[in-house]
Amino acid sequence: MTLPAENVAPQLTRNRRLIIVIGVVIPLLITMAAAFVMALWVPELPNPVASHWGTSGPDGYSTVGSVIALPLLLTLVFAALAAFGSWKGGPNGGMLWAHKIMVAASVFLSISLSVTAAGSLAVQRGLDNAENAPAIGGIALAAFPIAFVVAVFAWLMLPASERIQSTPVAAKPIAGTTTQRVHFSSTTRVGAGVLVVVAVALLALGIALGVQAVSNPAELLLPAVIGLVVMALAVSTLSWRVTIDQRGLKVRSAFGFPRATIAPDQIASVATVEVNPIGEFGGYGWRWAPDGRSGIVLSKGEALEVTRTNGKRFIVTMHDAQLAAEALATVAKK
Amino acid sequence: MLVRVDPASETPLFEQLAASIRQSVIDKSVTAGERLPSARELASSLGVNMHTVLRAYQELRDEGFIELRRGRGAIIAATAHSYDTLADGITAIVAEARTQNVSLAALTALIREEYK
């Protein structure tokens, strides 16, 4: 987005204009244009129209109105979410990459939904019965790359992401004799806020599986397996046991999987660092940041940061990160 | 919680272990109810005998710092956090001993005498 040269509004105001234009107005205009085109086709469409396709043709039907309204409704909800979520900006008034992702995703969602909905109706024009509707796999496949390319353009129009990474503070080994051995252990877990969000999400997933079990038990197995694995992983990664001794750093989630170990000879340096989960890692759990860091991100604040000999950095948020870093520095003799 | 031992030191290993865990409780780097590593885990982690760890744990249990429960391992006792006033008193006594040039051996002898 080019701004007039005389525009001297503060950065946050300019960013908010971009959020509104790219994240809300453009997605809504796209979905409204698609809705308008689809509305023009209504006289030529069967009633009801096919709205869901199985492996052997259409297997779900609904009114034209709901096919037209759904992309509008979803885009409206997500655009509002993106605008609210990114409104505050980063701590220095810039846009965090997590905010940019939400704004670009709003564009992606509006285009992929609109193209899929319009495409599914386009193939049904002139049909008397929706049961004869041809497959739309090709349209769905085409919709995602188109939406992705436009979303990338949207991303490029947004300002560079604000870097809020704090400077790591190198840890000193614990003073003592060279023959001393140390053992550090601690438990680190998510805060109450994250716990509530996870509980709500898991409840929703459980309800969705329950509905599937009642309405379509034949196709339950795959969603049930995936759903239960996701639930188990989500619950397991809420709490981690951190152990540091002569064998290095070991992090183990509540159920024992996932887990990770870094041996002392793989450690180049140990430090403590302040971490902002949303701003730097885009959320909570076992995370990868765009700057190449990965780690266990459970809370805002202090974290242990280990730089491996191959340059990769691993972090673990914990309340006693300082002590952990000193213990690990002792073990790694760094 | 941080546990430190030095096999080269003259102090017995179980005493070093107990002192280290006791210190963690007193400086509040562990809280009541927190689970300690199992004796087997701590022993293999520090490269010491499991009975050495068990002996340290038993000593700490006798002192009321930890609770040992079959099947649940060792946890920091709820009664363990009442050393604040004592710690303040000791700080004052040690400061007083320093100003009067009283040695650590003499001070501990005085405390031992008073404790009888």
Side-chain angles (χ1 to χ4, degrees), chain A residues 52-256:
Chain A
H52 187 269
W53 276 256
T55 43
S56 56
D59 63 1
Y61 304 90
S62 61
T63 60
V64 181
S66 63
V67 175
I68 295 176
L70 199 64
L72 263 176
L73 199 69
L74 289 177
T75 304
L76 192 64
V77 170
F78 193 85
L81 198 74
F84 273 116
S86 53
W87 199 249
K88 240 179 83 185
N92 302 320
M95 263 180 111
L96 303 179
W97 74 274
H99 298 160
K100 292 175 69 179
I101 288 269
M102 281 202 285
V103 170
S106 180
V107 175
F108 177 87
L109 194 74
S110 70
I111 296 174
S112 54
L113 286 174
S114 300
V115 172
T116 313
S120 76
L121 290 188
V123 297
Q124 298 182 59
R125 291 168 71 191
L127 293 179
D128 291 328
N129 190 334
E131 281 175 23
N132 303 322
I136 57 155
I139 293 162
L141 274 181
F144 292 105
I146 295 170
F148 183 76
V149 169
V150 182
V152 168
F153 273 108
W155 172 277
L156 294 176
M157 278 191 247
L158 297 170
S161 340
E162 178 182 316
R163 290 179 63 84
I164 52 169
Q165 206 176 312
S166 76
T167 320
V169 181
K172 287 188 182 69
I174 298 162
T177 54
T178 50
T179 50
Q180 75 169 343
R181 295 178 191 163
V182 297
H183 169 97
F184 173 88
S185 58
S186 179
T187 305
T188 178
R189 49 176 72 90
V190 295
V194 178
L195 208 56
V196 168
V197 173
V198 172
V200 169
L202 288 183
L203 193 67
L205 188 59
I207 291 172
L209 281 177
V211 168
Q212 175 84 354
V214 173
S215 66
N216 192 356
E219 286 181 28
L220 181 65
L221 186 66
L222 191 64
V225 169
I226 295 172
L228 290 176
V229 168
V230 166
M231 281 178 174
L233 280 178
V235 172
S236 184
T237 54
L238 293 176
S239 165
W240 294 73
R241 185 85 180 155
V242 180
T243 312
I244 293 164
D245 59 23
Q246 53 195 339
R247 294 168 294 196
L249 167 71
K250 190 171 82 185
V251 288
R252 184 182 177 280
S253 61
F255 298 157

Side-chain angles (χ1 to χ4, degrees), chain A residues 24-61:
Chain A
V24 180
V25 174
I26 291 177
L28 284 180
L29 281 179
I30 291 167
T31 40
M32 282 196 282
F36 180 72
V37 171
M38 286 189 277
L40 291 180
W41 294 341
V42 169
E44 307 166 55
L45 290 168
N47 187 20
V49 292
S51 59
H52 187 269
W53 276 256
T55 43
S56 56
D59 63 1
Y61 304 90

